[in-house]
């Protein structure tokens, strides 16, 4: 029986051979529990990237941006933090549930549903951010180039673009990706155990994660597929698509992942 997640009608239910219990396998635009229930996302990923973005921007420009576009804005926390500083913020995300949740939580920020490979807002921004490995949803080179055209279309000549891709060393270097995710409290208390497969040929990682809940809910399995980009590879694509790369830096950003990578770019003159 399915417990308190009725919207899991989006998913498939099957019997798990390992546990003998019923397992729900999520499907939909992204197969991730945390995308279907954005309130849970912020319980797992507790650190806002906004202060890092402000520091990176200010260290180059000496002042705060007046306007920011966040692509793949998710539950909206980063933009809410930036809006508190008086910055005019717009967020775009692919998943309608993320947009709905973000708009309800942070009414002062404008959130718009759109695909980074194609949306055009007809506006330009001082700072454009793509955080939390959103860029890694661009599985093919052609997807990445379309996303770069979108970013370029929203740039003035002095716009600073801040991208936080996965730090690929977390997957194929000496570091390791997280194997345990926790929803620490509330009705949805759970632990997610993850395994990863790496395809060298496609440069894709596939994560399979099983969520076990503290009570009253069948296990849920979610999966994702993301492209890994090496830093120099991303730099190449940015430079090929009309940008100058200003810097590539590492920060200890979240407790779950090893050091985050940030690539800073500006339109090429
Ligand atoms: C891991 S979340 C990151 C959320 C937030 N930026 C953060 O740093 O916490 C990735 C987000 O990218 C969004 N996304 C995935 N593909 C996208 C696309 N093609 N266009 C726009 N957003 C996309 C997902 O819906 C999701 O909200």
């Amino acid at each position: 029986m399915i417990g308190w997640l009725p919207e899991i009608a989006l998913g498939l239910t099957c019997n798990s051979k390992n546990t003998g219990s019923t397992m729900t396998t999520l499907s939909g635009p992204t197969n991730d529990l945390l995308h279907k229930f954005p309130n849970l996302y912020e319980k797992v990923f507790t650190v806002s990237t906004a202060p890092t973005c402000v520091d990176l921007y200010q260290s180059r420009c000496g002042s705060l941006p007046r306007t920011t576009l966040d692509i793949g804005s998710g539950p909206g926390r980063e933009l809410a933090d930036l809006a508190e500083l008086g910055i005019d913020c717009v967020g775009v995300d692919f998943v309608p549930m993320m947009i709905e949740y973000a708009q309800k939580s942070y009414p002062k920020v404008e959130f718009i549903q759109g695909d980074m490979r194609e949306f055009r807002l007809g506006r330009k921004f001082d700072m454009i951010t793509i955080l939390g490995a959103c860029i890694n949803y661009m599985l093919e080179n052609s997807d990445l180039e379309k996303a770069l055209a979108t970013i370029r279309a929203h740039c003035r000549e002095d716009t600073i673009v801040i991208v936080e891709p996965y730090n690929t060393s977390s997957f194929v270097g000496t570091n390791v990706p997280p194997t345990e995710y926790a929803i620490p409290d509330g009705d949805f208390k759970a632990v997610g155990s993850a395994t990863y497969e790496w395809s060298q040929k496609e440069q894709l990682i596939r994560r399979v994660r099983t969520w076990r809940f503290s009570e009253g809910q069948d296990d849920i399995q979610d999966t994702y597929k993301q492209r890994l980009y090496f830093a120099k590879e991303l730099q190449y694509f940015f430079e090929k698509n009309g940008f100058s790369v200003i810097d590539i830096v590492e920060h200890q950003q979240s407790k779950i992942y090893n050091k985050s990578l940030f690539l800073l770019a500006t339109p090429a003159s």
Side-chain angles (χ1 to χ4, degrees):
M1 135 159 186
I2 295 177
W4 33 251
L5 292 175
E7 287 93 317
I8 296 303
L10 282 166
L12 306 166
T13 303
C14 59
N15 288 321
S16 159
K17 282 188 185 138
N18 295 333
T19 63
S21 65
T22 308
M23 168 92 80
T24 298
T25 307
L26 296 189
S27 60
T30 74
N31 298 334
D32 188 324
L33 179 73
L34 306 180
H35 285 69
K36 295 196 188 297
F37 298 91
N39 58 316
L40 302 182
Y41 181 93
E42 290 179 346
K43 283 181 178 274
V44 175
F45 298 100
T46 53
V47 180
S48 168
T49 320
T52 305
C53 293
V54 167
D55 284 352
L56 290 171
Y57 185 92
Q58 280 189 314
S59 68
R60 268 80 196 169
C61 301
S63 60
L64 283 176
R66 287 158 304 166
T67 55
T68 292
L69 167 64
D70 187 28
I71 301 179
S73 48
R77 172 184 50 198
E78 277 70 22
L79 285 183
D81 290 348
L82 295 174
E84 284 296 311
L85 302 173
I87 301 168
D88 174 14
C89 295
V90 178
V92 176
D93 200 281
F94 187 56
V95 173
M97 271 171 275
M98 283 290 188
I99 294 296
E100 206 178 299
Y101 174 84
Q103 197 62 79
K104 218 175 269 175
S105 307
Y106 308 115
K108 286 185 190 157
V109 177
E110 184 183 7
F111 292 96
I112 299 167
Q113 198 271 330
D115 184 333
M116 71 173 93
R117 289 166 293 189
E118 57 189 36
F119 75 83
R120 296 290 183 272
L121 303 182
R123 270 188 75 179
K124 295 179 191 290
F125 295 83
D126 290 348
M127 177 165 85
I128 300 180
T129 53
I130 311 163
L131 307 171
C134 299
I135 202 79
N136 298 85
Y137 282 104
M138 301 296 103
L139 302 185
E140 300 290 342
N141 294 347
S142 56
D143 294 322
L144 178 62
E145 293 200 300
K146 284 179 195 161
L148 292 174
T150 300
I151 298 169
R152 194 72 178 76
H154 296 89
C155 279
R156 269 196 288 277
E157 60 185 25
D158 57 353
T159 296
I160 301 286
V161 180
I162 302 178
V163 190
E164 183 195 17
Y166 275 130
N167 190 329
T168 295
S169 74
S170 297
F171 295 91
V172 297
T174 49
N175 295 322
V176 287
T179 53
E180 198 168 289
Y181 296 78
I183 301 170
D185 53 31
D187 292 343
F188 303 89
K189 197 171 167 192
V191 172
S193 306
T195 56
Y196 300 82
E197 282 169 22
W198 157 245
S199 160
Q200 163 77 2
K201 201 174 96 181
E202 298 165 301
Q203 237 173 271
L204 297 181
I205 43 161
R206 181 168 179 272
R207 184 188 67 201
V208 178
R209 181 172 56 185
T210 303
W211 291 98
R212 298 211 162 82
F213 297 87
S214 54
E215 55 192 62
Q217 170 66 42
D218 300 327
D219 293 352
I220 288 180
Q221 192 172 80
D222 60 16
T223 57
Y224 79 23
K225 207 161 45 163
Q226 282 186 301
R227 163 84 178 266
L228 293 184
Y229 290 100
F230 287 88
K232 286 288 175 191
E233 184 184 10
L234 261 192
Q235 178 173 356
Y236 169 81
F237 276 107
F238 268 81
E239 289 174 351
K240 181 170 172 267
N241 288 275
F243 294 91
S244 296
V245 171
I246 305 168
D247 207 354
I248 298 174
V249 293
E250 282 182 312
H251 273 275
Q252 189 65 50
Q253 184 65 39
S254 92
K255 290 184 184 66
I256 294 189
Y257 284 92
N258 299 305
K259 281 186 180 160
S260 283
L261 198 74
F262 290 88
L263 181 144
L264 274 71
T266 197
S269 43

